[in-house]
Amino acid sequence: MVVALKPLHDRARIKRVVVSTYQSVSGAGKEGMDELWDQTKGMYVPGQEKEPKKFQKQIAFNVIPQIDVFMEDGATKEEWKMVAETKKIMDKSIKVTATCVRVPVFVGHSESINIEFEDFLDEDEAPRHSARGARRHGDRQARARRLHHPRPNAWGNTPPMSAASARTARSRTA
């Protein structure tokens, strides 16, 4: 979450973050995945019903609004970690509210994030690493590189540049 929020916070100060996480059973390890599998089978095969061991309640066809143990303030330890780590990495003044829920999915966590901004920075303070910032600062070559040479994707590949894009990039930097 903070990887996505940090550039936004640099451009426009974040005042408040409300996050809900939907975490798969893989976060509880092999035992969690096995429990979901066994309970799901038990719903369809008479005599193979399984009681919860890893989770507080049945996870198959259920959502459990508790990940880890409850703390004195009523939040779970996972929710506390979301708040503490966000403040530690980004800014202690940001107000963070977190709700963490375990969902009956084998792999793949997801998040829903609502952000409230404090104020926007002046146009002169735009970072140079953005195409807009490069244009404001007169760095046409940096802007052209940014627009026509995309960053590698998650697999380390860059999309191929068309001949038209290459001509446009050369003409803009000339």
Side-chain angles (χ1 to χ4, degrees):
M1 176 181 76
V2 295
V3 171
L5 293 182
K6 181 65 172 134
L8 296 172
H9 185 63
D10 290 344
R11 180 73 176 111
R13 299 287 173 224
I14 294 175
K15 182 172 158 181
R16 179 175 176 76
V17 175
V18 179
V19 59
S20 299
T21 68
Y22 306 96
Q23 299 184 26
S24 66
V25 296
S26 65
K30 182 182 180 321
E31 298 86 17
M33 295 178 75
D34 289 344
E35 188 164 316
L36 174 58
W37 176 256
D38 292 339
Q39 287 181 359
T40 303
K41 280 193 315 187
M43 299 287 284
Y44 294 105
V45 181
Q48 289 192 11
E49 296 84 3
K50 296 286 183 174
E51 291 297 315
K53 292 179 185 172
K54 181 70 180 173
F55 301 110
Q56 301 80 4
K57 302 281 183 185
Q58 175 182 312
I59 189 64
F61 303 99
N62 198 9
V63 175
I64 303 172
Q66 178 185 354
I67 300 177
D68 215 328
V69 297
F70 281 103
M71 301 177 65
E72 290 179 12
D73 64 354
T76 63
K77 192 170 182 183
E78 186 73 13
E79 293 164 344
W80 172 82
K81 286 192 292 188
M82 288 286 298
V83 172
E85 289 173 8
T86 302
K87 289 181 173 224
K88 177 181 166 186
I89 293 169
M90 291 189 52
D91 188 342
K92 289 182 178 24
S93 66
I94 297 174
K95 295 177 182 164
V96 182
T97 303
T99 302
C100 298
V101 177
R102 185 71 70 194
V103 294
V105 174
F106 286 102
V107 292
H109 300 338
S110 61
E111 294 179 338
S112 167
I113 305 168
N114 183 302
I115 307 165
E116 182 181 342
F117 291 99
E118 200 169 286
D119 59 355
F120 288 92
L121 300 177
D122 293 333
E123 297 228 350
D124 296 340
E125 299 177 43
R128 288 189 63 136
H129 59 270
S130 70
R132 179 179 286 164
R135 186 174 61 240
R136 285 196 191 114
H137 292 283
D139 191 347
R140 291 171 51 191
Q141 287 181 335
R143 180 172 179 265
R145 282 192 306 272
R146 184 61 96 180
L147 294 176
H148 298 288
H149 296 287
R151 289 187 174 156
N153 61 20
W155 299 277
N157 303 326
T158 55
M161 182 187 295
S162 68
S165 294
R167 281 193 302 277
T168 305
R170 281 195 300 274
S171 68
R172 287 186 178 173
T173 58

